[in-house]
Amino acid sequence: MNNDISAPQVETDVLTAMRRPGPAWLTGLGLAGLLFAGGLALWAYQIMHGMGVAGITHPVGWGVYITDFVFWVGIAHSGTLISAVLFIFRARFRTSFNRAAEAMTIFALMVAGLFPLIHLGRVWRFYYLFPYPNQRQLWVNFRSPLIWDVFAVSTYFLVSLVFFYVGLMPDLAIAARHRSGRAGKLYRILSLGWTGNLRQWRHYGRLYMFLAAFATPLVASVHSIVSWDFAVSIIPGWHTTIFAPYFVAGAIFSGTAMVLTLVIPMRRVLNLQEHIPIDHIEAIAKILLLTSLIVGFSYVIEHGMAFYGENLFEMEQFRFRALGHYSLLFWIMIMCNAVLPLLLFIRRLRRSLAFLFVLSLLVNVGMWLERFVIVVCSLARDFDPYNWGNYLPSPVECGITLGSFGLFFAAFLVFVKTLPVLSITELKER
Amino acid sequence: MPRQLYFDTPDAFLEELRAQLNAGIPRRRLRARLPFHLHEAEELLIGRPSRLRYFALGGGLAGFGGGFLLAMLTSVDWPIVTGGKPIVSVPPFLLIGYLLTILIGSLSCFAGFLWLSRLPDPGPLVSDDPFDPRFVLTINDEEAS
Amino acid sequence: MTSMVLNKSGIYALLVISALLIGLTEFGLSGKPGSLLLTLLFWSCIAQGCIALAAACELVNARWIASLRRELLSLYPLLLLLPLLFLFLWPQLDLYPWTDHPTLWLNRPFFMLRNLAILLAVFLAGRHLAKRSLDGQTTGPAAVIYLLLFVTSQTLAAFDWVMSLVWPWISTLLGAYFFTEALYAATAASGLLMVLYFQGKTRDTSLAVGNHLRDIGLLMFGFSVLWTGLFFAQFLLLWYGNLPEEVGYILDIISNSPGRELAWLFPLALFLAPFILLLGAPVKQSRHMIAAVSCTVLGGLFIERLCLVMPTVPLHAGALLFYNLLLIAVALLMLHSSMHVSASAD
């Protein structure tokens, strides 16, 4: 693909991207840090004053925090898709994105993992979630989907971290060669003394394949398990068998959009146009289109099936989503997730960076709203009309949500300047 | 004295490697360093697959059994009926087993990799031996090997 | 054997004759309508799936398909058999409980019309794709159109043909489950084709063919895991919800004798057998092992479909056997003809 770029050129191009934090980077980091600090302060406020400061109450006990959790876990998915699944399918365009996407996975999971704790209220009791022998002689309830979540998300995080680190090892050794002083030493230590002898490489090759093979089912299962938090209940709108693949497709959809949101500016600011060719971005756009079609298919099935049977509660739930209190959010979601991405059938738009960037932002908005609509609408209108009520997020919830974006972008900005944003070794191999 | 040959391209490196092997130099006297993995080099110099797969298999099986047993035994230890489901509910416990298959499988693979490739290796850190961007073929003397 | 080679009109004539044979048997002999429905369910899965697999591979430029593309695509006339057979369902619609109280979506004319229309559309799109691909023209748009129609058709098959047998039982995933199964069936069929086709053509297992064989094995392995995921996603939710209207149908399947055993058999054939057998590398290199696994998978799919229709529809075993043997013969004959055609074209 990029055979015209010599190996030393690849190294210097990617490594110079790590140097010289410019004013744009500093401003970005400052803004993101500020948002994050605001979010932290609001969380502290919530811990001090109790869950009353959040808008969640009877009957809508799951609100923005759970929406955020589902959203961020979803964002993580495309990182694994790009790094593991595309590796197994031997898709060459993955090398342009895998490092950034894997980093995104890690950061998104870190952010996602915070939300159950924020939602928990008494956050200092979080360790009750883990099965360990304790004085109370209690064990966790393995029949509860919330415990599956603990296992799924922590497994996902650890496996992604190992995968990310293993991919980095040779590149850290390269970075060490280009850096002098303490930074160089640190990179060298982090590379575990990698010298690239044949013994290392041959086990490394197998390891990478095995990790990809282990991570591939995770792409499909983690968000399935998240979807079962909802679907194993019998609440109308939640109890439906399509939830697992529907959530997985949505996760990859939103994650792919986030990859575009991050990579398009990164490519420009760090001058990596040569290493991330437009053809590869087009391939990512195709994934976006495919997952958008699956998500649209799920919308049609979900709504069609509600009126296929004779279940009044299901019918009312889906009527409420489309025409009720939250209908505006519902229609924005339909536009952003199922209608606008259809424009990607046009080749010229698939290759227009400006269009892709705007679309990726809209998709993220749409996917956040999708989770909100799913979580909130079903709780707001369940079986008994006496048990109905609408929900409005409180400023604390909105602030913590913004703070989570701050944390995510701050982490990504730090990543961009501390680690090679492209896999140098794989670029050379390409 | 060991001889060191440097190459910029994989083709030149492999050609030289083949030439050396054809000239009757035994495999054990040849050492290679590569900027990225070459399966051909592995086949020429070692010729048997990595043993990492046993770590993957062992870790996966241990994870599955361990996860399922963890869920089952803790449920039996504290038998409380929730949601009208049996104490030993196989479908959700299979899920725990499945997740731990992946977790323990990957971690044991990683540990196995570190063990098999002798990492972390303090040698290069102390002697300041960098990761070379070129292909290096080292031909050792008979007695050195 | 050259006398058995058919040209295009011969193939279509054969299809019409076999459809008529099946129709005559259905109304003359069997009197039990399930055999036709089951045959349709099984063969729509294989026929539509094979073309869909070829289309998907063309879209992503998958290389392994190169050696099988012609064979898979040459099965496209089978797609015409589906609407022909579907016509014979018309007098049998009393099978469906909703015929007593038709709704806006489920009523006789609309049911027949939409299914016939989509089956015909799939045939036309498949033919278009196959022609373009075999002529070496660009296939991108044709493949996309075919895949969209394929997904719609399999979804309709799941919801209309199967799910409405037990109306108002609902599983929203069933549509996606069906089209995944169709692709799974097509992969298994490719495994069989690999044996049939490459035994004669290349005696020496060249590297490329070996790789393609391994890729098919890998794909089948992947599909076995994916299938399990989709199966489990439905099973888990029904098991957890434990609502009478949802588990009633499942209980009907598993509480009487053949269903009880068969319901264990198909997860073994569709998940455990391929998963364990294909885990090792050497199996994926062996043509015969791949073929054995493929047969297991196709058998598993047949049993699964059998389980789905068994509680509500009376089956005639003899008729079922006859239909399927007939269709296998037709498919083989078509393949044989296409091999001859493509070989002479080379």
Side-chain angles (χ1 to χ4, degrees):
Chain A
M1 194 54 61
N2 280 9
N3 286 339
D4 44 328
I5 305 172
S6 68
Q9 182 69 31
V10 172
E11 285 188 12
T12 41
D13 277 3
V14 176
L15 291 172
T16 42
M18 287 163 60
R19 296 268 172 94
R20 312 179 307 240
W25 184 84
L26 287 171
T27 326
L29 187 65
L31 273 176
L34 215 60
L35 274 179
F36 175 48
L40 269 185
L42 284 171
W43 188 13
Y45 174 76
Q46 178 185 295
I47 291 173
M48 258 158 55
H49 292 265
M51 289 303 280
V53 299
I56 39 177
T57 177
H58 186 80
V60 182
W62 283 4
V64 163
Y65 295 148
I66 299 297
T67 306
D68 286 337
F69 168 70
V70 180
F71 176 77
W72 284 115
V73 177
I75 292 293
H77 274 63
S78 79
T80 320
L81 177 90
I82 290 172
S83 55
V85 181
L86 296 186
F87 178 77
I88 287 189
F89 281 102
R90 302 192 281 266
R92 268 163 300 169
F93 65 90
R94 88 180 256 287
T95 38
S96 299
F97 305 98
N98 70 329
R99 179 65 47 72
E102 283 164 35
M104 186 189 83
T105 297
I106 308 259
F107 303 142
L109 281 175
M110 280 162 43
V111 175
L114 285 179
F115 276 100
L117 305 185
I118 296 173
H119 183 81
L120 208 55
R122 287 187 287 175
V123 59
W124 51 92
R125 296 265 199 246
F126 78 96
Y127 57 86
Y128 277 26
L129 288 167
F130 295 102
Y132 65 99
N134 56 65
Q135 211 179 17
R136 290 158 280 135
Q137 300 196 323
L138 306 178
W139 292 102
V140 294
N141 178 9
F142 280 108
R143 270 152 275 151
S144 158
L146 302 184
I147 291 299
W148 310 342
D149 257 3
V150 175
F151 276 77
V153 174
S154 36
T155 296
Y156 194 24
F157 181 70
L158 287 172
V159 173
S160 305
L161 198 64
V162 169
F163 201 48
F164 181 59
Y165 179 65
V166 166
L168 264 173
M169 275 167 72
D171 282 11
L172 286 170
I174 293 174
R177 184 153 43 74
H178 283 258
R179 288 287 187 87
S180 53
R182 213 175 286 169
K185 202 82 196 158
L186 184 66
Y187 283 124
R188 196 70 188 115
I189 291 170
L190 282 177
S191 78
L192 303 182
W194 180 269
T195 52
N197 62 36
L198 193 59
R199 171 195 264 178
Q200 289 170 355
W201 272 123
R202 77 188 195 100
H203 297 305
Y204 182 88
R206 299 301 289 175
L207 172 68
Y208 207 78
M209 211 203 69
F210 279 127
L211 286 179
F214 276 123
T216 298
L218 273 185
V219 177
S221 67
V222 173
H223 226 248
S224 298
I225 289 175
V226 169
S227 83
W228 291 335
D229 289 349
F230 306 101
V232 298
S233 71
I234 52 169
I235 303 282
W238 283 3
H239 183 67
T240 168
T241 49
I242 205 174
F243 248 39
Y246 165 37
F247 267 51
V248 172
I252 294 169
F253 182 49
S254 65
T256 310
M258 190 58 101
V259 168
L260 286 175
T261 310
L262 295 172
V263 167
I264 290 175
M266 182 184 96
R267 173 177 184 268
R268 174 134 172 208
V269 174
L270 301 181
N271 287 318
L272 295 170
Q273 282 91 337
E274 277 178 81
H275 302 289
I276 309 181
I278 202 111
D279 290 342
H280 294 183
I281 293 186
E282 190 189 351
I284 292 284
K286 283 181 183 164
I287 296 182
L288 198 66
L289 176 60
L290 173 69
T291 44
S292 158
L293 287 173
I294 302 178
V295 169
F297 171 84
S298 308
Y299 291 157
V300 172
I301 299 290
E302 211 184 19
H303 287 258
M305 279 299 148
F307 297 94
Y308 163 93
E310 47 183 10
N311 188 330
L312 283 178
F313 303 109
E314 285 282 331
M315 290 187 202
E316 168 56 21
Q317 172 57 225
F318 284 93
R319 192 204 60 78
F320 175 72
R321 283 192 192 176
L323 305 171
H325 187 71
Y326 299 104
S327 61
L328 178 66
L329 302 184
F330 175 84
W331 290 107
I332 297 177
M333 153 194 130
I334 295 281
M335 277 309 284
C336 292
N337 296 347
V339 179
L340 286 177
L342 294 182
L343 288 172
L344 291 174
F345 271 118
I346 304 166
R347 184 161 185 271
R348 209 158 50 83
L349 290 178
R350 275 203 307 263
R351 299 176 70 89
S352 150
L353 292 182
F355 174 77
L356 283 179
F357 185 68
V358 173
L359 182 72
S360 73
L361 291 178
L362 288 176
V363 166
N364 276 318
V365 171
M367 283 311 293
W368 194 89
L369 289 176
E370 181 199 298
R371 276 64 182 262
F372 185 86
V373 165
I374 291 173
V375 173
V376 172
C377 285
S378 284
L379 290 173
R381 294 289 183 282
D382 67 359
F383 300 98
D384 184 357
Y386 281 99
N387 197 23
W388 288 359
N390 296 330
Y391 156 80
L392 188 69
S394 77
V396 174
E397 287 171 300
C398 299
I400 289 181
T401 303
L402 287 179
S404 72
F405 280 88
L407 173 59
F408 177 74
F409 285 114
F412 195 81
L413 284 170
V414 171
F415 153 74
V416 163
K417 287 294 165 193
T418 47
L419 295 171
V421 291
L422 294 173
S423 173
I424 302 172
T425 312
E426 285 186 34
L427 280 179
K428 285 183 187 170
E429 218 171 329
R430 179 163 90 185
Chain B
M1 271 304 284
R3 270 197 304 147
Q4 291 206 309
L5 304 172
Y6 293 89
F7 306 91
D8 283 329
T9 63
D11 298 332
F13 167 78
L14 286 173
E15 199 176 317
E16 178 63 29
L17 182 58
R18 285 201 188 94
Q20 293 287 350
L21 286 171
N22 287 338
I25 309 273
R27 279 171 171 182
R28 67 195 145 79
R29 283 179 57 201
L30 296 170
R31 292 276 178 279
R33 280 202 189 182
L34 318 164
F36 50 83
H37 189 36
L38 289 178
H39 285 284
E40 294 89 338
E42 183 183 335
E43 273 162 31
L44 287 173
L45 278 176
I46 295 167
R48 57 171 197 282
S50 156
R51 274 175 298 149
L52 199 63
R53 59 182 186 279
Y54 301 117
F55 287 86
L57 191 66
L61 288 177
F64 185 77
F68 190 86
L69 284 179
L70 171 73
M72 193 179 91
L73 295 179
T74 55
S75 300
V76 171
D77 187 46
W78 190 45
I80 182 167
V81 174
T82 49
K85 297 287 172 252
I87 297 295
V88 178
S89 303
V90 176
F93 295 179
L94 283 178
L95 260 183
I96 303 290
Y98 158 80
L99 286 168
L100 289 193
T101 307
I102 290 176
L103 180 65
I104 310 292
S106 328
L107 292 181
S108 92
C109 255
F110 184 55
F113 159 72
L114 292 180
W115 167 254
L116 289 174
S117 53
R118 307 287 182 269
L119 286 171
D121 184 1
L125 296 179
V126 178
S127 64
D128 220 15
D129 180 12
F131 172 33
D132 207 290
R134 291 164 298 181
F135 295 86
V136 188
L137 184 62
T138 312
I139 303 161
N140 288 314
D141 297 331
E142 193 64 63
E143 62 273 19
S145 59
Chain C
M1 281 299 281
T2 39
S3 59
M4 285 302 287
V5 172
L6 299 172
N7 59 10
K8 193 137 290 170
S9 47
I11 287 175
Y12 284 122
L14 180 70
L15 286 177
V16 173
I17 292 170
S18 29
L20 284 177
L21 263 178
I22 291 178
L24 282 176
T25 320
E26 187 69 16
F27 297 109
L29 294 174
S30 92
K32 289 183 178 172
S35 332
L36 177 62
L37 182 63
L38 184 55
T39 310
L40 253 177
L41 275 171
F42 185 61
W43 283 90
S44 76
C45 164
I46 293 182
Q48 295 191 348
C50 282
I51 312 287
L53 190 67
C57 290
E58 298 236 349
L59 267 189
V60 298
N61 293 323
R63 264 154 290 173
W64 65 267
I65 197 70
S67 52
L68 279 179
R69 189 176 54 101
R70 279 169 180 281
E71 284 65 38
L72 284 177
L73 285 174
S74 70
L75 283 174
Y76 80 87
L78 265 187
L79 294 175
L80 184 63
L81 194 65
L82 304 173
L84 292 179
L85 287 182
F86 191 77
L87 270 176
F88 293 122
L89 268 188
W90 173 247
Q92 300 183 341
L93 283 186
D94 295 330
L95 282 176
Y96 291 95
W98 45 262
T99 40
D100 301 335
H101 41 84
T103 65
L104 215 54
W105 173 254
L106 292 171
N107 57 68
R108 286 168 194 253
F110 188 35
F111 180 88
M112 287 306 287
L113 213 64
R114 65 171 177 259
N115 279 296
L116 274 179
I118 191 78
L119 288 175
L120 274 175
V122 167
F123 166 65
L124 292 176
R127 195 178 68 146
H128 181 61
L129 170 71
K131 285 209 159 130
R132 285 191 76 90
S133 176
L134 294 176
D135 290 349
Q137 290 167 304
T138 52
T139 49
V144 170
I145 291 171
Y146 178 79
L147 284 174
L148 290 177
L149 287 170
F150 157 75
V151 164
T152 319
S153 173
Q154 283 294 318
T155 309
L156 265 187
F159 292 152
D160 273 358
W161 305 1
V162 176
M163 212 167 85
S164 78
L165 277 176
V166 278
W167 189 86
W169 183 82
I170 283 179
S171 171
T172 42
L173 184 52
L174 205 66
Y177 178 69
F178 260 51
F179 68 71
T180 313
E181 277 188 335
L183 291 172
Y184 192 9
T187 318
S190 318
L192 279 180
L193 286 182
M194 214 69 187
V195 176
L196 291 177
Y197 188 54
F198 284 102
Q199 211 162 23
K201 199 169 183 183
T202 45
R203 278 256 167 253
D204 56 326
T205 15
S206 67
L207 190 65
V209 173
N211 277 339
H212 292 168
L213 203 60
R214 200 193 56 203
D215 284 349
I216 288 181
L218 207 59
L219 211 56
M220 240 188 314
F221 180 79
F223 268 118
S224 81
V225 178
L226 180 63
W227 179 86
T228 315
L230 294 181
F231 178 77
F232 190 73
Q234 299 181 81
F235 174 77
L236 185 78
L237 296 192
L238 299 184
W239 187 80
Y240 253 84
N242 204 15
L243 299 171
E245 68 263 32
E246 286 184 350
V247 294
Y249 171 47
I250 308 295
L251 286 178
D252 280 348
I253 296 178
I254 59 172
S255 48
N256 292 313
S257 182
R260 190 168 39 208
E261 289 77 27
L262 292 179
W264 278 104
L265 209 56
F266 75 80
L268 286 181
L270 287 173
F271 168 61
L272 218 55
F275 182 83
I276 290 177
L277 286 175
L278 294 174
L279 208 54
V283 177
K284 277 178 264 187
Q285 305 286 359
S286 151
R287 211 186 274 150
H288 298 288
M289 280 308 284
I290 292 279
V293 174
S294 300
C295 288
T296 316
V297 167
L298 289 174
L301 271 175
F302 190 81
I303 294 173
E304 192 245 356
R305 299 280 150 115
L306 180 68
C307 281
L308 284 176
V309 300
M310 214 168 40
T312 43
V313 186
L315 288 156
H316 188 285
L320 193 62
L321 196 67
F322 168 61
Y323 299 163
N324 283 287
L325 289 179
L326 180 67
L327 289 184
I328 289 173
V330 169
L332 285 178
L333 199 58
M334 272 166 53
L335 268 175
H336 175 66
S337 309
S338 85
M339 271 155 73
H340 187 80
V341 170
S342 62
S344 62
D346 282 342

